[in-house]
Amino acid sequence: MTASSASTASTSTSTPAGGERCAPRADCVADSAGAVTFTWAGGAADGEALVLRRRGAGTGPDDTVRLPLVARADDQLHAVLPGTVELAEGHWDAYLDDGTAVEAGIRDLRALIDRVPQTGRVTVRLPHPTADGRLAVRSWVREPHAEAGDIAVEQGAFAVECVLYGARIDEGASVEARLGDRAHRFPATGEGERFSFTVPYSALVEGPAAPVGKQQLWTLWLCPAAEAEDAVAVRISRLLDDVWDRKDVFVYPAHEAAGYRAAPCYTAANDLCVQLTPA
């Protein structure tokens, strides 16, 4: 199942009575090198700037990026977020200099589908509309990064094929499922950059935790070597495509057992987890 790589916000950009300018709206094109070009569809003027502000952050220099709007030969205004500009992980909302929120226009994200990073440092910038149609950019920065691939749902378990960027699989590698101070490890088989693993649901409910009394969300981490410490464990996520929030888009069949239901799932941040709920 894949998400559409281009969508249009439904909000109007017509000029209201009284001569006021229309609401600012920008179209976007993302490329495989991490750059995003914003083309103004209305509501802005030459000399203004597109301002990206990290949601929930302060007002420091690392929390705001200002991109000047420049008129090109096509008589349209453009602003470019280069792939070389640092954009910390998180949600970045788009505004004009005066604080006016920018509406999301058409987004062309085709270049991001099945992207293969050329370095071990994986950076992803995904323009997307917020729930009320405003423009935002979801940014991830991972080094190293474990990219989740195909998920095969089996009887009482699920298996995942992955690719590791920025590190290599060593002998004794494992995948760790974590919930608070509890953890279970499962073998990760493979070599080099590719590995796979299987999570049996029963392993997460054995002992005093069974039966499941409330919803549990086990996070999944790759330990590339037998003696990997917490500091070098790698979060397993799915980032290299055009879906900025997989939580409600990718839903997998649940396994039902005595006392619980279990299924793989993604969070709103596209991190792979195992969800257990009471039966």
Side-chain angles (χ1 to χ4, degrees):
M1 180 177 184
T2 59
S4 171
S5 56
S7 64
T8 306
S10 60
T11 49
S12 172
T13 59
S14 59
T15 302
E20 297 179 6
R21 72 179 182 180
C22 60
R25 179 168 61 91
D27 300 335
C28 306
V29 178
D31 68 26
S32 59
V36 181
T37 300
F38 303 88
T39 301
W40 233 246
D46 194 6
E48 291 188 288
L50 174 66
V51 180
L52 300 178
R53 295 176 185 162
R54 187 154 63 101
R55 193 179 303 169
T59 58
D62 294 335
D63 302 319
T64 302
V65 174
R66 188 176 185 274
L67 307 172
L69 298 178
V70 179
R72 293 185 178 175
D74 58 5
D75 292 329
Q76 290 184 302
L77 294 175
H78 300 266
V80 178
L81 173 65
T84 54
V85 170
E86 292 288 336
L87 210 63
E89 186 159 322
H91 291 272
W92 294 73
D93 295 308
Y95 302 90
L96 292 181
D97 276 321
D98 63 2
T100 303
V102 176
E103 295 179 358
I106 298 172
R107 296 167 298 111
D108 184 350
L109 309 179
R110 290 172 293 179
L112 302 181
I113 299 175
D114 297 326
R115 184 166 69 96
V116 178
Q118 300 304 308
T119 67
R121 187 172 191 266
V122 174
T123 59
V124 178
R125 287 90 172 273
L126 270 175
H128 68 90
T130 62
D132 56 358
R134 294 179 294 109
L135 177 63
V137 177
R138 182 63 169 96
S139 173
W140 287 271
V141 182
R142 303 285 173 90
E143 186 180 13
H145 166 60
E147 176 76 359
D150 293 337
I151 296 178
V153 177
E154 304 171 355
Q155 180 63 33
F158 70 96
V160 189
E161 297 181 356
C162 304
V163 180
L164 178 61
Y165 298 96
R168 294 180 66 83
I169 297 296
D170 201 354
E171 184 177 354
S174 63
V175 166
E176 190 168 86
R178 299 177 180 178
L179 179 68
D181 59 357
R182 298 163 57 194
H184 293 277
R185 283 196 173 188
F186 311 99
T189 60
E191 60 180 359
E193 297 176 343
R194 297 188 176 274
F195 68 97
S196 61
F197 65 94
T198 298
V199 176
Y201 299 125
S202 59
L204 305 181
V205 296
E206 290 177 342
V212 174
K214 62 180 180 180
Q215 180 173 298
Q216 300 176 0
L217 196 65
W218 291 77
T219 59
L220 295 176
W221 301 77
L222 170 68
C223 302
E227 301 301 324
E229 300 293 337
D230 288 347
V232 297
V234 183
R235 190 73 174 88
I236 301 174
S237 310
R238 180 70 179 265
L239 307 179
L240 299 177
D241 57 21
D242 62 343
V243 184
W244 68 91
D245 181 351
R246 314 184 82 82
K247 182 178 180 180
D248 298 322
V249 178
F250 286 75
V251 180
Y252 297 92
H255 169 71
E256 297 200 22
Y260 71 93
R261 299 174 74 247
C265 68
Y266 284 100
T267 67
N270 289 359
D271 295 326
L272 182 62
C273 296
V274 186
Q275 181 173 277
L276 271 60
T277 56

